[in-house]
Amino acid sequence: MVERQRVGAVVATQRRASALLPSLAVLLTVLLAVSGCGTSQAKGGGSGQRPGAAPAAERLEPLTTTADPRLPATVRSDDGHRVTVRSADRIVPLTGSLAEIVFTLGLGDRVVARDVTTTFQQAKDLPVVTRAHDVSAESVLALRPTVVLAETTTGPAEAVQQIRDAGVPLVVLPPAKALEDVGSRIDAVATALGVPKSGEELRERTEGRIDAVRRTIPESGEPTGPRVAFLYLRGSASVYLLGGADSGAGSLLEAAGAVDAGKESGLRKDFTPITSEALAKAAPEAILVMSKGLDSVGGVEGLLEIPGIAQTPAGQDRRIVSIDDGVLLNYGPRTDEVLRSLVDQLYPDGR
């Protein structure tokens, strides 16, 4: 029975990794959030690792001024429905990345619930309306929401339909897949909640900060930047995956002047199980991981025990980049912090 549960957990995790690949979604953030919030520091250290460099998940920086929502607003939901939002008094965002945008827009005092991937401090006292990976329609409806925000990966489908059937305006948005999605995602949330001007301000602030970080990336003098492999790790479930072209990390790596080693080695899907052969082909000079994933395998020392890791250039140099799970692939208002952390850890000497 125990073995069956363990296998089921592994399968569910791998299925979730595939389903959530675009953005924070991309990475099974549900699992990472269950283990708590805050930045974990990797054990062991390495030449590319700077303790404390990864952005903490604790707090957001909301806009200093936010207009009151001007509603009703009618928007096109990504699942084909036209949705009219008449009140933003009681908001339920069903992913951490959506909650981050709502709070940063200055509407956090209107949010009445969170899902398990919402890990920042301002939301910590809100009731959780998910069970493991799944939304509980009953828990959502019990809070009398006036608008629910979801993503195409939110499920199960029956729960989403139950919320809509109850007459609650439910807006579905596509998950963000790359840096280029940040602005449009902020705009979509702000428009649905009746604060388009605040959305414009937040988009400009976020994109400006991302551009500022990009200008600090040092010139390497090489034809290409460092080859970086994104690994998804959950030691408790024996899940060890190598990110490919659709992992969601490629856009960040390229923005940091790096090469996505998994994608460059020919991996076209989101994730593939880690093997010595796949790692040898990817030949990463640095490895990107989420901090709780790194902790789950015992830090850097445990990571190097995974077959094939120690034999890579990254393993030999102990060049491990660790970024907080709650922000790495959210592609939202804190993406500049993520990019800054990635740049600082990849180029610790400014080169």
Side-chain angles (χ1 to χ4, degrees), residues 172-189:
V172 177
L173 295 95
K177 301 178 182 179
L179 283 173
E180 292 70 26
D181 297 332
V182 171
S184 60
R185 188 170 171 83
I186 290 173
D187 284 342
V189 172

Side-chain angles (χ1 to χ4, degrees), residues 116-137:
V116 294
T117 71
T118 303
T119 59
F120 49 85
Q121 187 176 3
Q122 288 101 319
K124 67 182 178 64
D125 294 328
L126 291 172
V128 177
V129 291
T130 51
R131 299 169 181 167
H133 306 313
D134 297 334
V135 174
S136 166

Side-chain angles (χ1 to χ4, degrees), residues 179 203-218 255-256 335-341 343-344:
L179 283 173
R203 184 189 73 241
E204 291 177 355
R205 186 185 86 174
T206 303
E207 292 179 342
R209 290 178 176 182
I210 291 172
D211 289 342
V213 176
R214 280 175 152 159
R215 290 193 291 271
T216 68
I217 298 172
T335 295
D336 66 292
E337 299 176 36
V338 175
L339 186 58
R340 165 63 67 193
S341 177
V343 169
D344 286 350

Side-chain angles (χ1 to χ4, degrees), residues 23-350:
S23 167
L24 176 31
V26 115
L27 49 143
L28 294 179
T29 39
V30 274
L31 290 181
L32 52 89
V34 169
S35 55
C37 61
T39 301
S40 302
Q41 295 305 325
K43 307 171 183 68
S47 62
Q49 186 179 349
R50 297 179 57 184
E58 279 86 358
R59 293 199 64 81
L60 303 178
E61 182 189 349
L63 296 175
T64 54
T65 58
T66 301
D68 288 331
R70 299 186 64 177
L71 297 168
T74 300
V75 296
R76 172 70 67 176
S77 180
D78 200 61
D79 57 357
H81 293 267
R82 286 184 63 81
V83 180
T84 298
V85 180
R86 302 186 183 282
S87 169
D89 289 344
R90 300 180 65 80
I91 307 168
V92 176
L94 290 177
T95 72
S97 57
L98 291 173
E100 181 175 332
I101 294 174
V102 174
F103 271 81
T104 312
L105 284 169
L107 300 175
D109 59 343
R110 298 168 180 263
V111 177
V112 296
R114 67 181 176 94
D115 80 313
V116 294
T117 71
T118 303
T119 59
F120 49 85
Q121 187 176 3
Q122 288 101 319
K124 67 182 178 64
D125 294 328
L126 291 172
V128 177
V129 291
T130 51
R131 299 169 181 167
H133 306 313
D134 297 334
V135 174
S136 166
E138 292 80 5
S139 297
V140 171
L141 294 173
L143 293 166
R144 298 174 290 105
T146 58
V147 58
V148 173
L149 303 176
E151 292 185 0
T152 52
T153 53
T154 302
E158 295 80 9
V160 173
Q161 189 59 46
Q162 186 176 344
I163 294 170
R164 179 167 276 135
D165 288 345
V168 178
L170 188 148
V171 181
V172 177
L173 295 95
K177 301 178 182 179
L179 283 173
E180 292 70 26
D181 297 332
V182 171
S184 60
R185 188 170 171 83
I186 290 173
D187 284 342
V189 172
T191 298
L193 297 180
V195 288
K197 291 295 186 183
S198 297
E200 182 178 338
E201 180 183 348
L202 180 58
R203 184 189 73 241
E204 291 177 355
R205 186 185 86 174
T206 303
E207 292 179 342
R209 290 178 176 182
I210 291 172
D211 289 342
V213 176
R214 280 175 152 159
R215 290 193 291 271
T216 68
I217 298 172
E219 295 289 342
S220 66
E222 301 292 333
T224 61
R227 294 174 62 88
V228 183
F230 173 44
L231 305 185
Y232 180 83
L233 310 171
R234 279 298 175 266
S236 58
S238 299
V239 174
Y240 311 106
L241 304 173
L242 170 60
D246 289 331
S247 74
S251 179
L252 280 171
L253 293 174
E254 291 165 9
V259 174
D260 186 336
K263 175 182 177 181
E264 189 71 13
S265 69
L267 299 178
R268 297 301 168 211
K269 58 181 183 177
D270 48 2
F271 292 94
T272 190
I274 290 175
T275 64
S276 297
E277 294 76 16
L279 287 169
K281 189 173 182 181
E285 298 166 294
I287 289 173
L288 171 64
V289 293
M290 290 182 281
S291 52
K292 288 186 178 66
L294 186 60
D295 283 347
S296 78
V297 298
V300 174
E301 298 301 332
L303 176 64
L304 295 175
E305 293 175 5
I306 297 174
I309 297 288
Q311 288 70 48
T312 64
Q316 292 168 10
D317 293 341
R318 300 170 64 88
R319 193 177 181 189
I320 312 301
V321 175
S322 174
I323 295 180
D324 189 89
D325 307 42
V327 293
L328 176 56
L329 296 179
N330 270 6
Y331 289 115
R334 289 185 291 173
T335 295
D336 66 292
E337 299 176 36
V338 175
L339 186 58
R340 165 63 67 193
S341 177
L342 181 57
V343 169
D344 286 350
Q345 294 183 75
L346 280 177
Y347 313 102
D349 301 319

